[in-house]
Amino acid sequence: MHTSAEPDLRHHGDAEVRGMGAELTDLAVNVRAGTPPQWLRERIADSLGTLAAYPDGRAARRAVAERHGLPEERVLLTAGAAEAFVLLARALPVRRPVVVHPQFTEPEAALRDAGHTVERVLLDAADGFRFDPRAVPGDADLVVVGNPTNPTSVLHPARALARLARPGRTLVVDEAFMDAVPGERESLAARTDLPGLVVLRSLTKTWGLAGLRVGYVLASPGTIARLERAQPLWPVSSPALAAAEACSAPPALAEAAHAADRIASDRSHLQLRLAEFPEVTVCGPAAGPFLLIRLERGAAVRTRLRGLGFAVRRGDTFPGLGPDYLRLAVRDRTTTDRFVAALGEALSAD
């Protein structure tokens, strides 16, 4: 299924705060507030003494593998999940790629840039953006789906996604926000029994490392080798590798788990406060560190919120959504209460 009007697949939340970020409270970008933590800053700073040497990713790769209980040959470190999308689009033989929308738009943009014609499966808001594996064409040889999905915050059952796996197909599950889900329930990261499974992870969101560019791919050794051959030499910097190693250690995983619980609580508070506005529909059930809402004249409300000091993410750049959708990052309760007051003022301006 295709949309007639083409959204801007290259638009990202950072554009909402660019130019006047110091004056705006940022609810447009899904990076956890107050990050990176001090201990991680120090680990990254300590790595600067090694910059004269070429990056050595062995320790980071081993740490990520141990974190997921996988052999090292099933792990590839990348310059963020965005690089992984480009590698998949360029290195794999693809005939009929399908992207499940609405979701993060970089996978489709990367496939298009690599010369592929991309088909879309659009999930329905009336059905809570739930995923039905039967909607994917049987002969699709590359399927991309997010879990939990950006921007809908929907967490799809692992069993539903697993049904997509089959010989001759690459199933790409973008789990960039999975570590923000308590218990990482519904993750496929540790599965080695599903043919063609590729799981992508990012350290950007939980640890506040968007500027460092670090993520990784989990897949079969053959797929990892193929993607690695498509990478330039030393694609991940030494500071990024130090961060990957540190964030995969047990103390960091415990901190991330605690943060996931806190995010879930703060998200519930945001949902409760949004329920005060009958004109606002919260899409869900939500499981990620953000909410998707729908309201009439959403674009006008977004502009008013900007004037009141809050940046929120526009929804019309996601295939399957439109200008009446806005994405809100989950923040602490004090920030949420300030935002809700601003939202009430923006809505009353009609």
Side-chain angles (χ1 to χ4, degrees), residues 16 20 24 295 297-314 323 326 342-343 346-347 349:
E16 309 287 353
M20 56 181 298
L24 293 175
L295 68 167
R297 297 177 295 281
V301 171
R302 182 174 66 88
T303 300
R304 291 176 195 146
L305 284 170
R306 200 172 169 82
L308 295 168
F310 288 88
V312 300
R313 175 66 158 88
R314 61 192 289 185
L326 301 174
L343 178 60
L347 292 171

Side-chain angles (χ1 to χ4, degrees), residues 127-148:
D127 194 32
F129 296 107
R130 286 183 290 186
F131 175 64
D132 184 348
R134 295 173 296 183
V136 174
D139 61 345
D141 61 348
L142 176 72
V143 180
V144 185
V145 60
N147 203 35

Side-chain angles (χ1 to χ4, degrees), residues 76-297:
L76 180 67
L77 277 295
T78 60
E83 188 205 5
F85 292 128
V86 173
L87 293 175
L88 289 164
R90 295 181 179 179
L92 300 183
V94 179
R95 291 175 291 97
R96 189 178 184 184
V98 171
V99 179
V100 179
H101 284 290
Q103 79 150 342
F104 185 50
T105 52
E106 278 300 322
E108 178 171 329
L111 285 163
R112 287 188 178 195
D113 288 347
H116 300 291
T117 300
V118 180
E119 295 182 55
R120 295 173 181 167
V121 169
L122 298 181
L123 305 185
D124 190 353
D127 194 32
F129 296 107
R130 286 183 290 186
F131 175 64
D132 184 348
R134 295 173 296 183
V136 174
D139 61 345
D141 61 348
L142 176 72
V143 180
V144 185
V145 60
N147 203 35
T149 299
N150 171 20
T152 64
S153 204
V154 171
L155 184 66
H156 305 297
R159 64 181 181 277
L161 298 182
R163 286 175 54 192
L164 288 173
R166 63 189 60 179
R169 168 184 288 173
T170 300
L171 169 60
V172 180
V173 183
D174 177 9
E175 293 190 358
F177 293 99
M178 188 61 80
D179 60 354
V181 177
E184 297 194 5
R185 62 187 191 277
E186 313 303 341
S187 173
L188 293 175
R191 295 284 295 269
T192 60
D193 59 315
L194 298 175
L197 175 65
V198 175
V199 173
L200 306 184
R201 287 290 186 110
S202 170
L203 300 180
T204 293
K205 321 303 181 188
T206 289
W207 298 111
L209 298 175
L212 197 59
R213 309 311 307 141
V214 58
Y216 53 89
V217 181
L218 307 174
S220 71
T223 297
I224 293 296
R226 189 164 200 152
L227 297 178
E228 191 169 19
R229 286 195 296 270
Q231 279 186 310
L233 292 174
W234 310 291
V236 183
S237 70
S238 296
L241 292 170
E245 184 179 0
C247 293
S248 299
L253 298 181
E255 182 176 327
H258 177 72
D261 290 336
R262 187 170 63 251
I263 288 167
S265 176
D266 289 342
R267 185 180 61 242
S268 295
H269 180 70
L270 176 57
Q271 289 174 294
L272 186 66
R273 294 303 313 273
L274 290 172
E276 299 172 13
F277 303 103
E279 58 268 71
V280 175
T281 299
V282 179
C283 304
F290 46 89
L291 290 177
L292 183 68
I293 65 172
R294 185 175 186 177
L295 68 167
E296 291 187 8
R297 297 177 295 281

Side-chain angles (χ1 to χ4, degrees), residues 47-95:
S47 73
L48 299 182
T50 69
L51 291 185
Y54 287 97
D56 183 348
R58 289 176 294 179
R61 189 174 190 175
R62 182 165 55 250
V64 170
E66 291 176 357
R67 179 250 197 274
H68 291 288
L70 295 170
E72 293 176 41
E73 58 267 26
R74 297 186 71 95
V75 175
L76 180 67
L77 277 295
T78 60
E83 188 205 5
F85 292 128
V86 173
L87 293 175
L88 289 164
R90 295 181 179 179
L92 300 183
V94 179
R95 291 175 291 97

